[in-house]
Amino acid sequence: MKRFCKVRWIALLLLIVAGTAFLSFKNSDNRSFQLAKNIDIFSSIVKELDLLYVDTIDANKTIREGIDAMLYSLDPYTAYYPEDDQSELEQMLKNTYGGIGSIITWNTKLKRSMIGEPYEGMPAAKAGLKAGDILMAIDGQDLEGKNNQEISEMLRGQAGTSFKLTVQRPGVEKPLEFELVRRAIELPIIPYYTKLENNVGYINLSTFSGKPAREFKQAFLDLKKQGITSLVIDLRNNGGGLLDEAVDIANYFLPRGKTLVTTRGKIEQINMSYKTLREPIDLDIPLAVLVNSSTASASEILAGSLQDLDRAVIVGTRTYGKGLVQTTRSLPYGGQMKITTSKYYIPSGRCVQAIDYKHRNADGSVGRIPDSLTTVFHTAAGREVRDGGGVTPDIQVEQEKLPNILFYLVNDNLIFDYATQYCLKHETIADAQHFELTDADYADFKEMVRKADFKYDQQTEKILKSLKEMAEFEGYLKDASGEFEALEKKLQHNLDHDLDYFAKDIRNMISIEILKRYYYQKGSIIQQLKDDPDLKEALKVLGDTEKYHSLLSPKATADPAVAEK
């Protein structure tokens, strides 16, 4: 009897295994059929369009738009790059491209592109091009009617090739012609580092593309020679790059053999583990890391790893929350595809991904994972941290909101144009650290704005108008008409008042734009650091040893026995 029962259980188990295998095979077979079916349908649609559509279709454009829409429906990071359009991918991976090394911006009045910001030491700056130069022609071809994207593509090309660029410089009567030789442009990885007060080092790291670990090491060792006793790493607005580079930089401050990142995807080959492989440079120097909402990807790996291992105090605002990893795949006809293959997890085990692209709303939109659905993890010392929403700083700094008028002044190029005129009048200025915009300078700027007949939307006027319309709709306007009229008089558009009331923010933006013209990106960073709330908090905590260590230690819990007494 026992033998019969045993045989029966074995038979049942084999039946279950066989059934599972059959269903798995059936599901896999059905999935393959659905894939083949839809590819066949797509191919047939394209052929029918090409044969019968009333106008001749551009096959490359139509299919490319279909591919882009399909990939974007998955997430913003999965993208296709055909053979003739891989400069963006190359720049992303290597932090280089063939060109002249300048930001190109749009002149709204002239409806032409212009030099916005030449990079220090690059062909544009070396040739003598300046911010504000209007781009007129390339090798004699008039650029009128071309947008920024088209002109940027014309300026880029194989390193070593040359062309003639004709520009119209403000304040100069005749057009100027420049002979430019394209080169491999490397965007500044560390645009600025210095020793601040009280022997605090500061390193601004702008990207993890290229070879940032090597440059960071050089900057850090140079600061150590200068006698720094603590360090601020500025990762604000750093959108990320190469994961390995983030691990290497973290390794400078963490012991060898620590697992910093694991990646998990659909297939086993994608699952990886990244450890610190080298001996550190400094395990003891106090660290503060500055982050904001534009700190993403590899930047979050560095900040999150240092937080999870209780090695640095994070200061600023919650980071972007990109916990997805992309790899590149070769495609037919020389194309490349950047595809999201996995999510990454930092030492505490959390993933910082803030948006769940798999579960979209009914209208196709996506939103951040609510805090109520995030999970608590713990740092090496036992501090609570959470997943699902970027890296939350240990010291959160409330960010000042920029005034509405400043957006319009920048958007209308009034601050840019004033900086251009300022440079025509001043051949040299004070060094970036000591430069100040005078009251007379600001008075000149205000006069220029008045003459430009500058207009801008005031949010209070918009909200009041909406409130008035709603009050009329609901029948309250008649009784409240007097109050509305009084409020409208007080909220009347007053340009002089706004230029004076928001003078601090406007003057700071003007100073940044002016300093770019003389000291490039380094100058603008120095100006921004002069009154930087995040940096102030970082300096404060690095100067207070007791607070620094308390922030890196778990919060003490009350002893129940003591509480009962």
Side-chain angles (χ1 to χ4, degrees):
M1 185 69 181
K2 287 183 180 179
R3 184 182 177 190
F4 172 76
C5 289
K6 186 176 182 182
V7 170
R8 187 175 66 176
W9 276 111
I10 292 172
L12 183 60
L13 182 61
L14 288 172
L15 186 63
I16 293 171
V17 171
T20 303
F22 173 76
L23 288 173
S24 178
F25 174 78
K26 187 176 179 180
N27 289 337
S28 176
D29 192 48
N30 183 60
R31 182 176 177 80
S32 298
F33 169 72
Q34 292 297 332
L35 188 62
K37 168 187 164 183
N38 283 285
I39 290 172
D40 194 26
I41 292 171
F42 181 81
S43 177
S44 296
I45 289 172
V46 174
K47 288 175 182 176
E48 292 297 322
L49 286 173
D50 189 46
L51 179 66
L52 298 172
Y53 188 69
V54 63
D55 295 320
T56 302
I57 67 167
D58 181 337
N60 287 331
K61 181 174 182 293
T62 303
I63 296 174
R64 173 68 189 273
E65 287 178 353
I67 292 171
D68 289 345
M70 174 182 66
L71 298 181
Y72 192 78
S73 71
L74 301 175
D75 66 54
Y77 314 111
T78 298
Y80 166 60
Y81 301 88
E83 184 179 20
D84 58 354
D85 186 22
Q86 295 192 24
S87 58
E88 183 184 347
L89 180 62
E90 184 177 354
Q91 180 180 336
M92 199 181 304
L93 296 174
K94 300 179 181 178
N95 199 42
T96 64
Y97 64 92
I100 65 171
S102 174
I103 292 175
I104 306 299
T105 190
W106 186 250
N107 188 302
T108 51
K109 292 178 182 176
L110 299 176
K111 299 192 183 308
R112 279 185 178 268
S113 293
M114 61 182 174
I115 298 293
E117 182 185 346
Y119 294 129
E120 186 174 8
M122 295 293 115
K126 285 186 173 181
L129 287 168
K130 295 183 178 180
D133 286 349
I134 308 297
L135 305 184
M136 306 300 291
I138 294 176
D139 284 334
Q141 180 183 348
D142 191 353
L143 299 177
E144 186 177 8
K146 295 189 180 295
N147 59 36
N148 273 352
Q149 181 62 33
E150 292 171 318
I151 292 176
S152 291
E153 289 174 1
M154 293 174 72
L155 292 172
R156 292 187 180 191
Q158 191 69 34
T161 56
S162 63
F163 65 96
K164 289 182 180 178
L165 178 65
T166 305
V167 305
Q168 183 65 60
R169 178 165 293 170
V172 178
E173 188 176 343
K174 293 183 179 181
L176 303 174
E177 193 172 85
F178 295 86
E179 181 83 26
L180 290 159
V181 179
R182 298 181 182 93
R183 59 165 281 190
I185 305 300
E186 292 189 11
L187 303 180
I189 291 173
I190 297 181
Y192 181 62
Y193 73 92
T194 189
K195 186 174 84 166
L196 302 170
E197 59 189 56
N198 298 324
N199 294 322
V200 178
Y202 170 88
I203 299 178
N204 185 299
L205 183 60
S206 67
T207 180
F208 283 89
S209 297
K211 299 291 183 183
R214 181 176 61 194
E215 291 198 26
F216 187 97
K217 182 179 181 180
Q218 291 171 350
F220 180 52
L221 291 177
D222 185 30
L223 289 172
K224 282 179 71 74
K225 287 179 183 177
Q226 296 179 42
I228 65 164
T229 54
S230 58
L231 177 66
V232 175
I233 304 172
D234 194 344
L235 296 180
R236 292 174 297 181
N237 305 313
N238 185 326
L242 301 175
L243 187 153
D244 297 53
E245 295 291 324
V247 172
D248 285 348
I249 292 175
N251 195 170
Y252 298 150
F253 308 104
L254 293 168
R256 184 177 182 177
K258 289 283 184 182
T259 299
L260 298 190
V261 185
T262 56
T263 62
R264 300 177 209 156
K266 184 188 293 183
I267 60 176
E268 189 64 32
Q269 295 91 318
I270 294 296
N271 299 340
M272 302 279 287
S273 182
Y274 296 81
K275 295 184 177 183
T276 51
L277 301 176
R278 300 177 181 86
E279 292 301 320
I281 297 175
D282 195 324
L283 288 174
D284 301 315
I285 189 169
L287 301 174
V289 179
L290 307 184
V291 297
N292 65 7
S293 59
S294 295
T295 301
S297 192
S299 296
E300 293 175 291
I301 288 174
L302 177 57
S305 295
L306 293 175
Q307 183 181 58
D308 280 0
L309 296 172
D310 308 292
R311 185 62 187 86
V313 171
I314 313 300
V315 180
T317 55
R318 187 189 291 191
T319 63
Y320 181 81
K322 181 179 180 290
L324 305 177
V325 181
Q326 287 75 44
T327 55
T328 56
R329 301 283 292 179
S330 296
L331 296 175
Y333 302 100
Q336 294 271 341
M337 184 177 179
K338 179 165 65 72
I339 178 171
T340 300
T341 53
S342 59
K343 293 181 179 180
Y344 72 74
Y345 300 81
I346 49 180
S348 63
R350 57 179 168 150
C351 177
V352 301
Q353 179 63 24
I355 298 175
D356 184 1
Y357 292 104
K358 187 176 181 181
H359 298 98
R360 292 177 178 266
N361 300 320
D363 61 358
S365 64
V366 291
R368 292 179 70 92
I369 298 170
D371 290 344
S372 59
L373 297 181
T374 59
T375 305
V376 173
F377 290 79
H378 293 89
T379 70
R383 294 185 296 147
E384 284 191 3
V385 287
R386 287 184 172 270
D387 68 352
V391 175
T392 300
D394 303 304
I395 299 176
Q396 297 196 59
V397 182
E398 187 175 347
Q399 299 300 299
E400 296 178 5
K401 292 183 179 179
L402 294 175
N404 192 42
I405 186 176
L406 186 57
F407 169 80
Y408 287 96
L409 288 169
V410 171
N411 194 57
D412 287 3
N413 282 333
L414 287 170
I415 288 177
F416 185 94
D417 291 344
Y418 176 77
T420 300
Q421 296 301 321
Y422 183 95
C423 293
L424 291 173
K425 298 175 185 176
H426 300 81
E427 189 174 340
T428 60
I429 60 172
D431 64 84
Q433 193 64 51
H434 298 97
F435 173 80
E436 286 186 11
L437 194 74
T438 66
D439 292 340
D441 293 333
Y442 191 60
D444 288 343
F445 171 75
K446 290 194 292 184
E447 185 61 26
M448 186 194 81
V449 174
R450 291 189 200 98
K451 288 180 179 178
D453 194 28
F454 173 63
K455 295 287 190 297
Y456 63 99
D457 292 330
Q458 289 182 305
Q459 293 302 310
T460 49
E461 288 181 356
K462 284 185 174 181
I463 293 170
L464 181 61
K465 183 181 178 182
S466 297
L467 180 62
K468 193 174 179 180
E469 289 173 352
M470 186 57 66
E472 184 178 17
F473 176 75
E474 295 184 347
Y476 296 113
L477 183 61
K478 186 176 179 180
D479 293 338
S481 59
E483 286 82 353
F484 271 109
E485 286 176 12
L487 193 55
E488 282 173 341
K489 287 180 182 179
K490 289 189 175 183
L491 296 178
Q492 278 184 350
H493 197 284
N494 188 328
L495 179 60
D496 287 332
H497 168 270
D498 289 354
L499 287 172
D500 289 335
Y501 188 81
F502 297 112
K504 179 185 174 184
D505 291 317
I506 298 171
R507 289 175 73 140
N508 183 54
M509 190 64 75
I510 295 171
S511 298
I512 289 170
E513 191 59 50
I514 289 173
L515 285 167
K516 282 182 189 175
R517 313 297 179 94
Y518 297 91
Y519 302 109
Y520 302 98
Q521 195 173 357
K522 182 188 298 183
S524 67
I525 293 172
I526 292 173
Q527 176 63 30
Q528 292 171 72
L529 293 179
K530 289 178 182 177
D531 188 24
D532 187 326
D534 294 345
L535 181 60
K536 286 179 181 177
E537 286 297 327
L539 293 175
K540 191 186 299 183
V541 72
L542 289 174
D544 185 340
T545 304
E546 186 176 340
K547 183 178 181 182
Y548 177 83
H549 287 295
S550 70
L551 284 169
L552 296 178
S553 303
K555 292 180 180 178
T557 55
D559 187 339
V562 174
E564 286 174 6
K565 293 179 182 178

